[in-house]
Amino acid sequence: MAYSPHTAADHERMLAAIGVDSIEGLFADIPPAVRAERFAVPPPLTEQEVRAEVTRLAYRNALPRVSFLGAGAYRHLVPAVVGEVIGRAEFATAYTPYQPEVSQGTLQSIYEFQSMVCELTGMEVASASHYDGATATAEAALMACRLTRRERIAVSSAVGPQTRAVLRTYCSGPGIEIVEVGADLAESGSGLTPVERAAATLDDTVACLVVQQPNFFGGIEPMRELVDAAHDAGAQLVVLVEPTSLAVLEAPGAYGADIVTAEGQPLGIPLSYGGPYVGLMAARMASVRQMPGRLVGATRDGAGRKGYVLTLQAREQHIRREKAASNICTNQALCALAATAYLAAVGPAGLREVAELSMLQARHLAAALEAAGLGVRRFSAPYFAEVAISVTDAARVHAALAERGIVAGYPLWDEYPELADTLLLAATELTTDAEIAELVAALGEVAV
Amino acid sequence: MSVAERSGTAAADASGRGAAFASPAPAEELIVVEPLIFAASSPGRRGVRFPSATDTARHAASGQPDVPADARRGAAPRLPEVSELDLLRHFNRLSQLNHAIDLGFYPLGSCTMKYNPKVNEWAASRTGFAASHPLDPAACAQGSIELEWLLAELLREISGFAAVSLQPAAGAHGELTGMLMTRAYHRSRGEGQTRTRVLVPDSAHGTNPATATMVGYETVTIRSNERGGIDLEALREALNERTAALMITNPSTLGIFEDQIDQVLAAVRQAGAIAYMDGANLNAILGRFRPGEAGFDVMHFNLHKTFSTPHGGGGPGAGPVGVSERLAPFLPGPLPILVEGDPEEVRRNAWAGRTTPRARFALEDPATRPESIGRVRAFTGNFGMFVRAYTYIRSNGDAGLRAVSEDAVLAANYLRVRLADAYDLPYDRICKHEVVFSGRRQKRQHRVTTLDIAKAILDHGIHPPTIYFPLIVEEALMVEPTETESIETLDRFVDVMHGIAEQAAADPEALKRAPTTTPVGRLDEAGAARRPDLRFDFGTAAPGAEASASTETGAE
Amino acid sequence: MSSTHPDDLRYSKEHEWVRVDGAQATIGITSFAADELGDIVFVELPEPGTRISQFGAFGVIESVKAVSDLYAPVSGEVTELNEALRDRPELVNSDPYGEGWIARVSLAEESGLDGLMDADAYRESTAG
């Protein structure tokens, strides 16, 4: 009703052509025993009414005035031009590019995306995207199992809890066993994955070591040593990276990572209560046939024009069916386009500014809290743009600050019992000096 | 040489699928339709800029540990250095190379390419939603959680299921969730080791068997009967104590309602197996058939199909799952719940556009669902798509959703009868929202394949129907008009298809050369796969500005 | 059909051919199979030294639009792979009985060769 163009006359003409008296005749083949007995959906709303309803719900979100919350999703600038690009109806209302002759916009932009992901990660091939960083990491672990023909994986506890939860779910499918490598969470410990502990877990039954860089606590892991530990055992190194950090931190390809994944949300995608986001995955060319997800390749047409197509599709569900590397079909193309537009909009210099400002403000934040005697860095290791801070009576303090419209980061104690009274605070290029000052002042008042 | 080249003509390659690629041109003379973004790059060119670091910040931060030198990047990534204007022009021009629903007819079977209402976009862009962090305290996110709760309630009502999880990101993701729950269910009853097989009809979408494999199941294919439904006898023979589940699409991928669905479900239930419905074709049955009510155990919804969220060139979508009572304990959580307040009152108020003052929402404590299969993604789901789908369902309402299915089915049957003279109809009976033709007449009589027909349709500014699916129909052509196309659009499509059928007889070579009016012609897919070129080769081009070793932020 | 099936070969139901040379054999797929698959883009094979058993899947052959398991027409041990197929998988289409050979095998004692069809029988089986 809302968007149907059919008039009564149109209905009549169609029914006459079909040769039924009424629309009911077209549903006569539904057995009476299974016909719907109820359909208590509320009545239709006009545009102004539905906009009022949406506004009601949007306003019910009492957004924090000041937030230091990260823990896997980050508040970054979404440049206005990114919204313009993904707002193009030709991108947004197109389907998966199975007919490449009328899909060159989508296909070429995916090729550009793949190129940029390879550049950032230093890897040879990147897929056209996955649902999010956590599912990409889970798919990467399964890929490592296929490549090594091993059935166990090792995962650092410094990999984020949501990611580890998704890994558990995905591994339960084919019955892959997960071994945890405990991070050094002691007070004034490094907050990193101990290399000897990782090495002790790795043997010829383990397909990969999964780590995160920077890790969930913001800590900068000793990647070369971890790669060596994995390779010494014939295992793959799977690393989940934060994409803006790749402007300043070493590219995983340079330190020998085998499969790289990332949560692409920081690249021009709004927080939007958790989705849609976009998972990145990159690997070596030699592994490409075990890589899940779509791939776009360059080619040409009969008239000598350059063009792009979905390629190596024989790996995918619509051809391989039960032998497919994964069941992925719809991915996150428009979000990948947002990331592509973002990376082009900020460029290497802009991405570096984002990373360095984020790092600076995280250090500013930690220093200010320490100077005021309100919080102490839990871990000793250098960090990127997120830092774990111990605060006395943190649960009460966090709740009190939330009531004032300040979200003082992510409470760690539920998922990491050793980290009682520890909050994970993130800073980005949007974090202002005034916000840090306000946090310190408010914390000072609440802490008494 | 490709098979087509060797056979010397632009005719069918030996698989009968039509020329992949007609005549080669020397590589140096490649014509570029729109250069890659990297071509507009010039060292030092800037787009978006960021503020300089303040002295306050620098001073305060100076005592904190720096990133160690050996963890630092060497050369900067060679991202494009372009102006904002050049960037925008590039993507605008690229977009103009696409066909899209907003430009023209898109009767892609099984995909439900209906109009994507713009008020849905307006809704999703509200700051209250866009700036909502998934880990915000519940008190900050009452609007987000209430919307999720209301959407789940609506999907429950539409489908007749007992419970819904919004978490999966796409239909295939929903299938994975459904199969993991199936396995958890059987394990909970001590039958995890014995029930190892999943039955799928031979008309199934490729994601179905692919999903079964991801969960460690063996796929058993059940033939369809001559009416286009699953063969009940074959199904009964295959069902036994080793069966974990039946995965079935209803209406089937042939666009035909399973008119023995009650017997199918009874047989599955009797065998102790789980009945999974692929909800891709829900657009045909809104208000008429509620899978949960009929006896299915689990179904995934495709919000990007029936519920109008845009396809985005390949996502994002959303694939919530609905389940019966017996599978509810296994849902991936945490689900949005009403912690304080009466659900009936909250619904009544929400349907009237009111907030319930004392109602309080939260994400459930995972400990309350101990048998959950766990998370299938990091957060609660593709929330931006939930806003769109909620807006769509509320806009249509009960009458509107019913009309959606009625008009979708009407349009598909209209095309069925108007094209039945020109194209073979393997299942000549009333269809639902899509109809499957076969191009075998054209292939046998004129050596024109369904691929050729599809390429010819492109020249008329129309996206072709789905081709070569389902696999059980030779030279399949699956047409799904949806309910949002005017009769004039449908009539024009009929004329185009008749014209192509005539041309197949009169001038098949013209069809083999199609498309000729699109930005590119038929592409060399074999070459793309044999010599993969999957990223821009920067060659020996110098990388961008060398990264400095300091933590100084640099506005140039 | 791009070439007729040579008389000196033996054929399996799964459209593989075998050329026997004493205790060694060369195997490939028939022109019928190659035509069905269309433009071949990739062939995945086991390393030399692998034992294969007749009618068991031992590799994969991929075209743009389809993928198929390769079923061993005989039992034996893989001794050599056609390295040319790595860069030029299209040889399987252009010369399936010659340069498009897939693997060389040293025949097992019970190779199962007798269970295969001769050229006439194969032609007949694919005629329908």
Side-chain angles (χ1 to χ4, degrees), chain A residues 132-134 136-137 239-243 246 260-264 278-281:
Chain A
D132 65 3
T137 307
V239 59
L240 169 65
V241 295
E242 198 285 327
L246 294 176
V260 181
T261 60
E263 171 52 66
V278 60
L280 280 50
M281 184 186 293

Side-chain angles (χ1 to χ4, degrees), chain A residues 302-436:
Chain A
R305 283 175 289 210
K306 185 147 192 215
Y308 300 88
V309 288
L310 290 177
T311 192
L312 300 181
Q313 291 185 82
R315 302 159 304 121
E316 293 186 62
Q317 53 78 25
H318 60 286
I319 290 175
R320 210 75 163 96
R321 296 174 70 90
E322 66 269 13
K323 297 189 179 143
S326 159
N327 72 346
I328 191 166
C329 185
T330 295
N331 50 321
Q332 302 284 111
L334 204 65
C335 298
L337 178 63
T340 310
Y342 175 86
L343 289 170
V346 303
L351 195 68
R352 180 146 152 246
E353 285 172 1
V354 167
E356 290 186 342
L357 271 172
S358 303
M359 287 166 54
L360 182 69
Q361 291 299 64
R363 281 156 181 73
H364 176 181
L365 168 70
L369 289 171
E370 282 176 354
L374 295 169
V376 172
R377 265 190 306 126
R378 169 74 184 205
F379 303 124
S380 58
Y383 50 92
F384 175 60
E386 207 157 1
V387 58
I389 303 278
S390 295
V391 173
T392 310
D393 212 4
R396 182 189 61 80
V397 162
H398 190 270
L401 288 173
E403 274 179 35
R404 295 175 179 221
I406 302 172
V407 176
Y410 183 74
L412 289 169
W413 47 87
D414 282 333
E415 278 138 344
Y416 297 94
E418 314 92 311
L419 300 181
D421 284 327
T422 311
L423 298 167
L424 183 65
L425 286 94
T428 70
E429 80 285 2
L430 294 179
T431 306
T432 63
D433 294 349
E435 287 172 339
I436 293 174

